[in-house]
Amino acid sequence: MAQSKQNSIQIREGIRAVLETFTHTPKAHVRSFGCQLNFCDGEKYKGILHDLGYELTDTPEEADVILYNACAVRAHAESRVIGQLGALKPIKEKNPRLIVGLCGCMAEEAEVRALLKKSYPFVRLVLGAGAMERLPESLLAVYQGQKHCEALEFAGLPDESLPTVRDSSFQASVPVMYGCNNFCTYCIVPYVRGRERSRQPEAIEQEVRGLVGQGVKEILLLGQNVNSYGRGLEQEINFPELLRRLDAIEGDYFIRFMSSHPKDATPELIDTMLESKHIEHHLHLPVQCGSNRVLKEMNRNYTVEKYLELIDYTRAKAPDFGFSSDLIVGFPTETDADFEGTMNIIEYVKYDNLYTFIYSPRSGTKAAEMPFVSTQEQIAARMSRLLKRQREISEAFNARFLHKTVRFLAEKRDPETGLLLGKTREGLVLEAAGTPEDIGRLLHVKVTGVKNWALTGALL
Ligand code: SAM
Ligand code: SF4
């Protein structure tokens, strides 16, 4: 331990010595793509670089280190990242000392690494999603002349003392666990982020308490399946218990969380949310598909009926309670009849919001071996039907809030229209006229209208 501390001091000194030879302030640009967890990791990469002596910049052209922190979940998003990495080549040619790196779960894919080595040799640093602590040593290796540096492990938890540079002063993401054990047959995450491991509850509590103390108004707890939080920890604790501990922290703030796997979401979770002071009255509960056969082939481990039981349990207690979901359209074995099941679910649940994805084959997953039973045209037609109907459903169901008073966190403001945009405790997007000083505040709003997914309101 003492030796590794010594080692890390030497590495920092090595980098400092390199940076001292610069005739300008060394700068770093970190760009994250994909899910909230990736953005949260991005804040840690920024923290590490800042701590090493780099000033952070939004402009890649003036950077001495550029890190793209990218997500592996869908192939299309990956190709875009590869394209954007390619676009950095002229910047690298102008500035030969520039270090370009790819990190995040996309960097865990052997195919991606092979492609970079072959076609993008100027990307000299590759850092897997669980190897962020190794950023300093990897940078130093490249400064010392190593042509290509890869660091890839993802077994443990990130060091609790890693520095973080937060993107917002009033919203903060807090990972409660890393990795996933579920192996849904379409999903690459367990292969690129490793098995589930939970943070100690005390460390999470301490982080949340610190954030609330700094005036943060929205805490987003993150994990691939937060409902399996606590498994493998020495002390007995489940996710509802963690929520209760966090909810007891004094202050004026919201707690949100994602994602909840339906196989592990329980009435205890719903009761905890309903009895809480701070937790949102909204649950993101990704169903993925409305056909029991396809759910089985996806290895989701619940049925439509089991899923709806929890919705019914919740709505019996709180009729206004909102749900959102992820849906995959065009899983290889999905037929028109299976898709009708998906349409039935959205009619029944009346989601506030849907995150819809066209199925994307990911190499190494089981589903990637399954032949498609539908054409891409059929799949595209299903998707547009789904989106059209969902817009109507959200608009009609969101009207339940008309004339009610809700609490709302103003996240940003359009300077031209003067409209604030943010979310209510029920997880709904809301727009209301306000001033720049309202940004980052929790406000009381009277709902005056419904517009597609969003509510409109007037500040009280
Ligand atoms: N762990 C979360 C869960 O199970 O709800 C989801 C995490 S995943 C990063 C986010 C969403 O991406 C999934 O819920 C799924 O809808 C979608 N997704 C994952 N793999 C996909 C694939 N191969 N093609 C299309 N969508 C995919
Ligand atoms: Fe992927 Fe399934 Fe794990 Fe979510 S639960 S990350 S969809 S394998």
Side-chain angles (χ1 to χ4, degrees), residues 67-238:
L67 275 192
Y68 276 12
N69 171 33
C71 163
V73 172
R74 278 169 295 275
H76 183 62
E78 259 186 16
S79 322
R80 275 211 317 265
V81 172
I82 293 283
Q84 301 201 4
L85 268 177
L88 295 176
K89 196 172 173 200
I91 307 181
K92 169 73 186 169
E93 280 165 357
K94 271 197 208 143
N95 175 9
R97 283 185 101 178
L98 168 67
I99 296 181
V100 179
L102 177 74
C103 53
C105 54
M106 184 170 158
E108 297 285 355
E109 287 178 87
E111 285 171 17
V112 168
R113 294 200 303 277
L115 174 71
L116 292 180
K117 260 190 166 164
K118 183 164 166 265
S119 310
Y120 301 85
F122 64 93
V123 180
R124 289 174 61 188
L125 194 154
V126 175
L127 210 61
M132 46 181 109
E133 283 99 333
R134 294 184 56 193
L135 176 55
E137 74 182 63
S138 309
L139 273 176
L140 186 60
V142 177
Y143 280 133
Q144 288 173 341
Q146 196 169 313
K147 282 242 150 51
H148 187 86
C149 179
E150 286 182 3
L152 295 169
E153 71 263 305
F154 50 63
L157 285 165
D159 185 342
E160 288 292 347
S161 64
L162 276 185
T164 297
V165 171
R166 303 257 179 205
D167 293 334
S168 161
S169 59
F170 57 87
Q171 291 176 299
S173 299
V174 175
V176 299
M177 59 181 297
Y178 293 87
C180 179
N181 288 356
N182 293 310
F183 289 93
C184 301
T185 56
Y186 51 80
C187 185
I188 199 169
V189 169
Y191 303 93
V192 291
R193 287 206 173 251
R195 295 296 79 71
E196 279 174 11
R197 55 258 183 223
S198 296
R199 287 176 71 196
Q200 293 294 336
E202 293 75 17
I204 301 170
E205 251 180 290
Q206 194 188 338
E207 185 174 350
V208 171
R209 187 167 287 113
L211 289 165
V212 171
Q214 289 160 28
V216 169
K217 297 293 175 211
E218 181 184 289
I219 310 282
L220 175 64
L221 306 177
L222 293 175
Q224 293 301 345
N225 174 15
V226 289
N227 297 319
S228 58
Y229 172 79
R231 284 183 203 157
L233 286 181
E234 238 166 61
Q235 59 181 302
E236 237 180 72
I237 179 163
N238 65 7

Side-chain angles (χ1 to χ4, degrees), residues 42 55 181 207 229 237 246 248 275 288 366:
E55 192 176 282
N181 288 356
E207 185 174 350
Y229 172 79
I237 179 163
L246 298 179
E275 286 157 17
Q288 309 298 357
K366 277 197 180 159

Side-chain angles (χ1 to χ4, degrees), residues 6 71 95 115 119 146 172 198 301 344 383 405 426 446 450:
Q6 182 61 30
C71 163
N95 175 9
L115 174 71
S119 310
Q146 196 169 313
S198 296
N301 285 303
N344 291 341
M383 180 59 108
T405 298
E426 295 75 16
K446 177 123 183 180
V450 182

Side-chain angles (χ1 to χ4, degrees), residues 135-435:
L135 176 55
E137 74 182 63
S138 309
L139 273 176
L140 186 60
V142 177
Y143 280 133
Q144 288 173 341
Q146 196 169 313
K147 282 242 150 51
H148 187 86
C149 179
E150 286 182 3
L152 295 169
E153 71 263 305
F154 50 63
L157 285 165
D159 185 342
E160 288 292 347
S161 64
L162 276 185
T164 297
V165 171
R166 303 257 179 205
D167 293 334
S168 161
S169 59
F170 57 87
Q171 291 176 299
S173 299
V174 175
V176 299
M177 59 181 297
Y178 293 87
C180 179
N181 288 356
N182 293 310
F183 289 93
C184 301
T185 56
Y186 51 80
C187 185
I188 199 169
V189 169
Y191 303 93
V192 291
R193 287 206 173 251
R195 295 296 79 71
E196 279 174 11
R197 55 258 183 223
S198 296
R199 287 176 71 196
Q200 293 294 336
E202 293 75 17
I204 301 170
E205 251 180 290
Q206 194 188 338
E207 185 174 350
V208 171
R209 187 167 287 113
L211 289 165
V212 171
Q214 289 160 28
V216 169
K217 297 293 175 211
E218 181 184 289
I219 310 282
L220 175 64
L221 306 177
L222 293 175
Q224 293 301 345
N225 174 15
V226 289
N227 297 319
S228 58
Y229 172 79
R231 284 183 203 157
L233 286 181
E234 238 166 61
Q235 59 181 302
E236 237 180 72
I237 179 163
N238 65 7
F239 187 58
E241 173 60 21
L242 175 72
L243 284 177
R244 289 191 286 271
R245 286 205 206 174
L246 298 179
D247 189 53
I249 296 171
E250 293 288 332
D252 193 19
Y253 63 97
F254 290 158
I255 297 178
R256 305 188 190 283
F257 56 87
M258 65 190 301
S259 277
S260 271
H261 196 304
K263 78 178 166 62
D264 299 313
T266 57
E268 185 193 0
L269 174 71
I270 301 293
D271 293 345
T272 303
M273 294 172 83
L274 292 177
E275 286 157 17
S276 75
K277 232 166 121 178
H278 304 286
I279 305 168
E280 64 177 342
H281 282 181
H282 169 270
L283 182 59
H284 182 62
L285 196 62
V287 68
Q288 309 298 357
C289 166
S291 148
N292 283 338
R293 184 185 56 78
V294 174
L295 284 174
K296 194 150 189 238
E297 285 167 0
M298 287 177 160
N299 192 32
R300 290 290 287 178
N301 285 303
Y302 53 84
T303 59
V304 170
E305 294 72 23
K306 177 92 196 354
Y307 180 91
L308 294 181
E309 255 174 40
L310 195 71
I311 307 278
D312 290 344
Y313 176 87
T314 313
R315 292 257 165 85
K317 291 193 159 193
D320 283 349
F321 196 95
F323 289 91
S324 59
S325 182
D326 294 349
L327 276 175
I328 296 180
V329 178
F331 186 78
T333 63
E334 181 188 86
T335 61
D336 279 337
D338 294 317
F339 180 69
E340 287 312 315
T342 300
M343 291 301 287
N344 291 341
I345 283 218
I346 70 160
E347 293 293 340
Y348 187 87
V349 179
K350 301 189 179 67
Y351 292 107
D352 290 331
N353 204 351
L354 275 185
Y355 300 86
T356 51
F357 308 103
I358 297 261
Y359 166 73
S360 163
R362 305 308 287 128
S363 115
T365 60
K366 277 197 180 159
E369 308 297 315
M370 300 178 188
F372 277 94
V373 301
S374 303
T375 64
Q376 289 306 307
E377 289 71 37
Q378 285 171 315
I379 293 169
R382 283 178 205 153
M383 180 59 108
S384 35
R385 192 177 144 211
L386 177 72
L387 293 178
K388 178 169 179 292
R389 184 63 194 127
Q390 179 57 36
R391 256 195 303 276
E392 295 161 359
I393 293 172
S394 309
E395 189 159 311
F397 194 52
N398 289 350
R400 69 195 186 281
F401 290 108
L402 263 182
H403 315 304
K404 291 192 178 163
T405 298
V406 292
R407 288 209 80 194
F408 149 81
L409 173 62
E411 293 171 19
K412 54 185 174 187
R413 180 176 176 273
D414 182 334
E416 277 174 23
T417 60
L419 286 177
L420 299 167
L421 193 74
K423 270 190 252 82
T424 70
R425 184 176 178 191
E426 295 75 16
L428 284 175
V429 174
L430 187 141
E431 244 180 26
T435 64

